[in-house]
Amino acid sequence: EAVKKEKLKTQLITNVSHDLKTPLTSLISYSELLSDCDIDNEDAEKYINVINQQSKKLKILIEDLIEASKVSTGNVTLNKTPINLSELAVQAIVEVTSDFEKNNIEVKLTEPDKPLTVFSDGTKTYRIISNLLNNAKKYSAPNTRVYASISVSEGFGVFEIKNISKEPL
């Protein structure tokens, strides 16, 4: 009975998420079209940018919800290939560096001397690293450092991140 209820809940989440994506796609498309228009009102331009940014964030949240739903039912497909974990981490760090700099947070990366190749789904691994970095960005105390490292432990590639939080844990 519990498994049946869990499956129904997961199906509901998946269906609602898919239903939300259609109008959201329209919002994103129209906000992008509006941002390409010649608008003389500075406030209107700001509002359009906010709509555009928030719509994109909502899209990511909905995709995360769908992905979480798939994970809970075991419906995740992994496309494992050899990937360079260091390159993947550096790419993710570069993408968030300006956001860290706004809070005067320095990211220090320690990586192995030789490239570390892991057999993994590159897209999902990148997303994991990106989520960890975004959490560090969100919860780190200003004027501190975030330490990221790539290493091998018991034959597995490891991405580790440490930071000083704003609030006591």
Side-chain angles (χ1 to χ4, degrees):
E1 187 66 28
V3 170
K4 186 178 177 181
K5 285 182 181 179
E6 189 63 32
K7 282 186 178 183
L8 286 173
K9 183 175 85 173
T10 301
Q11 284 178 334
L12 176 65
I13 291 169
T14 302
N15 291 339
V16 168
S17 298
H18 281 291
D19 290 346
L20 289 172
K21 281 180 81 173
T22 302
L24 183 59
T25 301
S26 292
L27 283 171
I28 291 170
S29 297
Y30 281 109
S31 68
E32 287 174 351
L33 288 171
L34 276 172
S35 63
D36 291 340
C37 291
D38 256 348
I39 298 174
D40 293 332
N41 186 322
E42 265 186 50
D43 286 338
E45 285 182 21
K46 287 178 191 175
Y47 301 151
I48 291 167
N49 283 336
V50 169
I51 291 169
N52 202 347
Q53 289 172 346
Q54 295 303 317
S55 296
K56 288 178 180 176
K57 280 184 184 179
L58 186 56
K59 182 180 179 190
I60 290 169
L61 290 172
I62 290 171
E63 288 168 354
D64 287 348
L65 187 60
I66 292 170
E67 196 67 27
S69 175
K70 287 179 182 177
V71 167
S72 70
T73 60
N75 290 334
V76 175
T77 304
L78 296 176
N79 300 312
K80 293 182 179 182
T81 59
I83 59 168
N84 183 324
L85 188 58
S86 297
E87 283 181 7
L88 202 65
V90 167
Q91 181 183 351
I93 289 169
V94 166
E95 286 191 17
V96 295
T97 297
S98 64
D99 291 333
F100 276 100
E101 288 172 351
K102 288 176 188 171
N103 289 322
N104 201 24
I105 299 170
E106 184 181 3
V107 180
K108 296 281 193 176
L109 175 64
T110 306
E111 50 187 315
D113 295 331
K114 292 188 261 179
L116 177 56
T117 302
V118 295
F119 192 65
S120 178
D121 184 310
T123 303
K124 289 182 176 53
T125 303
Y126 179 84
R127 191 161 193 180
I128 291 166
I129 293 170
S130 182
N131 284 346
L132 290 170
L133 288 166
N134 281 320
N135 284 342
K137 175 184 70 178
K138 192 184 305 182
Y139 298 112
S140 290
N143 306 310
T144 60
R145 284 174 214 82
V146 169
Y147 296 94
S149 67
I150 296 153
S151 60
V152 177
S153 177
E154 298 179 18
F156 292 96
V158 176
F159 176 79
E160 185 175 25
I161 192 161
K162 297 177 184 178
N163 67 308
I164 299 170
S165 65
K166 289 181 205 173
E167 304 293 328
L169 300 176

